[in-house]
Amino acid sequence: PPPAVPALKRQKTFEAPAATPGPDAKEDEDDGGGGGGAAGAELLLVARRRDGKTGAASESRCRWDAKRTAIVVCDMWDAHWCRSAAARVGELAGPIAGVAAAGRSRGCSIVHCPSGVTAFYSGTDALENARGLPHADPPEPFSTKTRWGYPWCWPDEEAEPSLPIDDSDGGCSCAGGKCASGEPWTRQNAGIPIERGDFIADEGQLVYNILSHKGIKNVILVGVHLNMCVLGRPFGVRQLLRQGFNVVVVRDLTDTMYNPKMRPCVSHFEGTRLVVEHVEKYLCPSIGSTCITGGGAEFKFSQQKPQ
């Protein structure tokens, strides 16, 4: 597999052959941790990245061993303090459930990461299986910094410049003024089933234990919000890159917290597109959801204008 990514330098090597399963990635053993697809199943990904200087886009194809791949679902809660954000999460839930089902059927591990609400799942196999795995030492320590009182992996300024949007107001895009902020979420959105063999975790170490135990080398990230949690959580893009995983973001199955009244004063969905480009330039490639589902069109929000 490609070498570990030092610090937070963008992922350089992508088109690597599928890795040979290691001693922790047994093909036929059912250990309560997903990966139930046919042995040798592959995911054909068409990955888009951008030149860090010119921004020019390019696409490459690679094959990922499904057994060595995890789909991580980030912060798809049942509620949100921002009404418009909550509505968009509601639209995303079905398509994300479809991608999880497709990946699961092909042998991918599914890790649900609804931050701050895993207590809702106390006693479930998905949570207890995650907690019961042996500790694995990561190659790079987890960030000790925080945001909103939670562990957070901030950008390495030498490798990643500031985001192209200003989300300092919290990013509420509702008409009529900003919604009152808070933490109304209690569980993951019920529209995303947690199936037998899936995992639930919201701590970086637990997620790393899962990935290590399953022999995972490749991570596909879906969920919200790209400019915040998808990048900064201890199971998000920056931390995963720092730990040496191959990472892609599903560009049509994410969203941002962005208010069009803030810099650069573009539409909400244009702001999301700019953040996707930022990720492609400085961090990791993006893919479309059809790489996993195998057909159809990429997801569009109901209020999203055709490109």
Side-chain angles (χ1 to χ4, degrees):
V5 180
L8 279 177
K9 295 180 180 178
R10 71 192 295 263
Q11 185 170 296
K12 293 182 178 180
T13 304
F14 188 73
E15 295 184 88
T20 302
D24 294 327
K26 298 178 181 179
E27 294 292 331
D28 299 319
E29 180 181 352
D30 181 1
D31 57 1
E42 288 184 328
L43 304 174
L44 177 59
L45 306 184
V46 181
R48 188 176 74 195
R49 67 185 327 143
R50 293 179 185 272
D51 183 271
K53 294 182 179 180
T54 68
S58 61
E59 290 187 341
S60 59
R61 294 174 179 266
C62 91
R63 297 181 183 274
W64 277 4
D65 181 351
K67 288 278 189 177
R68 307 276 274 182
T69 301
I71 297 175
V72 170
V73 181
C74 177
D75 288 356
M76 285 293 294
W77 294 307
D78 61 333
H80 198 278
W81 61 265
C82 170
R83 295 188 306 276
S84 56
R88 290 189 296 272
V89 166
E91 290 189 46
L92 276 173
I96 286 178
V99 161
R104 191 184 292 114
S105 71
R106 297 170 73 178
C108 297
S109 296
I110 312 298
V111 186
H112 304 269
C113 298
S115 298
V117 296
T118 55
F120 179 88
Y121 300 97
S122 293
T124 65
D125 288 346
L127 181 60
E128 300 308 323
N129 285 340
R131 289 176 172 172
L133 291 176
H135 175 90
D137 291 325
E140 293 285 337
F142 288 97
S143 172
T144 58
K145 297 180 180 180
T146 61
R147 187 180 191 184
W148 307 312
Y150 293 95
W152 199 263
C153 193
W154 290 94
D156 177 347
E157 295 180 357
E158 293 183 1
E160 180 190 355
S162 59
L163 292 172
I165 61 172
D166 182 355
D167 58 16
S168 61
D169 68 339
C172 178
S173 57
C174 293
K178 180 181 176 181
C179 299
S181 60
E183 295 187 1
W185 39 84
T186 62
R187 56 167 294 173
Q188 182 168 276
N189 188 295
I192 305 173
I194 299 169
E195 303 288 358
R196 181 179 181 273
D198 291 1
F199 292 101
I200 297 173
D202 66 348
E203 299 173 30
Q205 183 62 60
L206 285 185
V207 173
Y208 187 80
N209 293 346
I210 295 166
L211 303 182
S212 176
H213 175 73
K214 298 296 295 182
I216 300 298
K217 297 297 182 185
N218 313 309
V219 179
I220 298 169
L221 270 158
V222 298
V224 297
H225 286 96
L226 183 59
N227 56 319
M228 296 180 178
C229 300
V230 175
L231 293 184
R233 291 288 190 189
F235 49 80
V237 170
R238 296 188 187 112
Q239 190 71 70
L240 290 169
L241 288 176
R242 185 171 287 173
Q243 292 168 344
F245 292 99
N246 299 312
V247 182
V248 295
V249 168
V250 182
R251 58 180 171 265
D252 57 314
L253 296 186
T254 190
D255 188 31
T256 55
M257 290 297 295
Y258 170 63
N259 176 6
K261 295 180 181 179
M262 302 292 282
R263 174 185 62 82
C265 300
V266 295
S267 73
H268 174 84
F269 298 108
E270 175 65 10
T272 298
R273 189 189 68 79
L274 291 174
V275 178
V276 169
E277 288 191 358
H278 173 93
V279 172
E280 294 169 344
K281 286 175 69 175
Y282 302 111
L283 293 167
C284 69
S286 77
I287 63 170
S289 58
T290 56
C291 289
I292 313 301
T293 60
E298 292 187 12
F299 170 75
K300 299 287 185 184
F301 290 100
S302 60
Q303 295 184 348
Q304 191 171 357
K305 295 179 180 180
Q307 295 293 322

